[in-house]
Amino acid sequence: MLKHGHKDTGSNKRPRLIFLVPSLAGGGAEKTASTLLPYLVQAFDVTLALLENRRTYPVPDKLRVVAFSGRLDSRAAHLVRIPCHVMAMVQLVRKRQPGVVLSFMEQANIINILSSRITGHSAVISQRTEPYRQHAGKGLLGRLILHASRLSYPMATQVIAVSAGIRRVLVGRYGLAPERVIVIPNPVHLESLRDQAMLLPPAGIPQRFLLHVGRISLTAKAQDVIIEAFHILHQRHPDLSLVLVGEGPDRRCVKRQVHDLSLENAVVLAGWQDNVAAFMSRAEVFVLASRYEGWPNTLAEAMACGCPVVATDCETGPREMLGDSEYGLLTPVDDPEALAHSVERLLTDKSGREYFQKQARKRAQDFGIEYIGPDYVRVLRNKESPKMRCENEESLISSPFLRKVVETSMQVCVATLRGTYFVLFNKSL
């Protein structure tokens, strides 16, 4: 059942756009959606569609918001509801008649594509992460999403990759036509970050500290490597602290590691923070030790705040942002000693630190919403459907219509399951 957050006020001269995301709860893709929305509403009559009604980040006033479900507390619940969400999406598209539907993240992308096979709307999807690394180790459900995306993505009208590295994966491993995959980095709102950076952080933040901001997920963000590197640094810089901002499934593991290394008085687990810019503008160094990335928002935000940065040279993301250590220092993945060495270089070399502060601010200008936003508008306007498939005389809840929706979505589900079990069977041999 659709849950509406704004009443339809009638016709609008701007072209209509539906923006589909799983939720607006705390995460990099969700924050990007929140950053992009105020720009999109200037060019389009936007309807924001959420697969589940969870919101942490703000949206523009009077924005039309539709939620397909309440809170879904598991990945299994999301997958089970895919056919229902496809039907809800088709119903919304029939009602709003948008020229194009933009979606973020695999699940929303799959639903966007499936519904487009029924309505005929242009489906523009955005791939935010390296999909094979993102879903590795997540069991059957992870394999289902991976296989479903591989099957459905070739049917998208246009695919947006957040980095050239992600584009290489989509073209090389998903087999997408190169001309259908374009690169648009994540935007940051530079003016908003400057304003937030001037505010005071919460009381109790150390005077000298290294900073990491990200979901506490050792598989992806490698906070264990950061703590190991900090343990090395703390022996030479006992007045230095480490602040970890974020929540996630591995918080308990991180606390255990901090305890085992006797760093309880030097490491602050700050949890979720609404204003990370206040931390970034005061940190000695921002540290990112990810094992894989798409396009790390927090790295761009730290650079915009003038914080010198050190990041791992993982397969996609940081090198495109930092160049060959031109705008910040790159270190090898899973190397705490190399990470500690790069951080110490910025701590002890005042002129080098000031140089990278200026370089970071300079590079961050390229990621401003005023530069990235027009790229999105250009793509979305170019991909508007001249005429959607309208079945005005057929009820949206008629049996033939429902069969069409269910058959389309179930074909992908069945093909996905077959592919998943084939992989699992081969691995067992």
Side-chain angles (χ1 to χ4, degrees), residues 118-418:
I118 299 162
T119 66
H121 72 259
S122 292
V124 176
I125 67 173
S126 177
Q127 182 63 34
R128 322 296 304 170
T129 62
E130 207 282 30
Y132 289 89
R133 297 293 301 272
Q134 172 76 7
H135 298 295
K138 294 186 177 178
L140 179 60
L141 297 182
R143 293 180 185 277
L144 283 170
I145 292 176
L146 183 59
H147 281 279
S149 62
R150 287 187 64 185
L151 287 166
S152 60
Y153 277 20
M155 296 185 283
T157 307
Q158 182 80 63
V159 181
I160 298 172
V162 294
S163 66
I166 296 299
R167 182 180 184 273
R168 286 193 297 271
V169 172
L170 293 174
V171 172
R173 302 188 68 179
Y174 272 47
L176 299 184
E179 64 273 12
R180 293 178 64 189
V181 187
I182 61 170
V183 176
I184 304 180
N186 289 340
V188 293
H189 199 295
L190 298 173
E191 183 178 353
S192 176
L193 282 171
R194 283 193 292 267
D195 292 342
Q196 293 173 3
M198 297 177 65
L199 302 175
L200 292 175
I205 296 302
Q207 186 172 359
R208 289 189 72 226
F209 63 94
L210 307 179
L211 177 66
H212 169 78
V213 179
R215 188 168 187 260
I216 301 183
S217 168
L218 302 184
T219 303
K221 302 299 183 182
Q223 286 90 355
D224 53 330
V225 175
I226 295 175
I227 294 169
E228 287 286 352
F230 177 71
H231 182 242
I232 297 170
L233 286 164
H234 190 60
Q235 297 174 41
R236 298 193 286 267
H237 302 271
D239 64 329
L240 189 67
S241 297
L242 171 65
V243 176
L244 302 177
V245 173
E247 292 289 354
D250 293 328
R251 181 183 176 92
R252 184 174 298 178
C253 295
V254 166
K255 290 186 69 174
R256 187 183 307 116
Q257 183 183 12
V258 169
H259 172 77
D260 292 344
L261 295 174
S262 301
L263 293 172
E264 295 98 325
N265 295 326
V267 177
V268 178
L269 299 181
W272 171 264
Q273 296 289 331
D274 291 325
N275 182 8
V276 296
F279 291 81
M280 292 170 171
S281 62
R282 292 165 175 82
E284 299 289 319
V285 180
F286 181 86
V287 183
L288 188 77
S290 301
R291 294 183 166 104
Y292 65 90
E293 278 288 352
W295 182 273
N297 291 342
T298 56
L299 187 62
E301 290 171 347
M303 295 168 72
C305 292
C307 184
V309 299
V310 176
T312 47
D313 191 13
C314 53
E315 184 179 358
T316 63
R319 177 168 287 274
E320 293 178 49
M321 303 172 75
L322 303 181
D324 188 12
S325 291
E326 182 180 356
Y327 301 102
L329 298 180
L330 290 169
T331 68
V333 175
D334 280 322
D335 191 337
E337 292 185 359
L339 184 62
H341 175 76
S342 294
V343 172
E344 185 156 37
R345 175 181 164 187
L346 293 175
L347 291 174
T348 57
D349 182 357
K350 183 179 179 181
S351 61
R353 173 182 167 78
E354 291 174 350
Y355 170 79
F356 279 112
Q357 284 178 315
K358 293 178 182 177
Q359 286 292 92
R361 284 196 179 97
K362 176 183 175 182
R363 176 62 169 144
Q365 300 304 306
D366 297 334
F367 313 140
I369 183 64
E370 61 270 25
Y371 297 106
I372 304 298
D375 291 338
Y376 269 95
V377 171
R378 191 177 305 112
V379 169
L380 294 171
R381 282 187 168 165
N382 288 341
K383 297 302 176 182
E384 288 178 347
S385 301
K387 184 178 180 181
M388 292 190 351
R389 300 190 197 109
C390 298
E391 299 173 0
N392 295 327
E393 296 182 0
E394 181 179 18
S395 170
L396 289 175
I397 57 173
S398 67
S399 296
F401 179 81
L402 288 178
R403 283 201 302 271
K404 195 174 185 181
V405 175
V406 174
E407 285 172 4
T408 304
S409 58
M410 290 308 295
Q411 283 172 4
V412 172
C413 291
V414 169
T416 296
L417 285 167
R418 285 175 178 169

Side-chain angles (χ1 to χ4, degrees), residues 26-53:
E30 293 86 347
K31 188 167 189 177
T32 298
S34 178
T35 301
L36 191 57
L37 273 167
Y39 194 91
L40 292 179
V41 297
Q42 299 177 47
F44 299 94
D45 178 9
V46 180
T47 297
L48 175 64
L50 306 175
L51 298 184
E52 60 171 325
N53 196 16

Side-chain angles (χ1 to χ4, degrees), residues 16-20 85-86 88-94 96-103 108-125 155-158 383-390:
R16 291 182 175 183
L17 168 72
I18 293 177
F19 192 1
L20 176 66
H85 288 163
V86 170
M89 188 67 206
V90 171
Q91 183 181 3
L92 181 62
V93 169
R94 295 288 194 206
R96 293 297 305 155
Q97 294 287 305
V100 62
V101 175
L102 170 67
S103 56
N109 291 341
I110 293 165
I111 290 167
N112 185 7
I113 294 167
L114 285 175
S115 60
S116 75
R117 306 304 291 178
I118 299 162
T119 66
H121 72 259
S122 292
V124 176
I125 67 173
M155 296 185 283
T157 307
Q158 182 80 63
K383 297 302 176 182
E384 288 178 347
S385 301
K387 184 178 180 181
M388 292 190 351
R389 300 190 197 109
C390 298

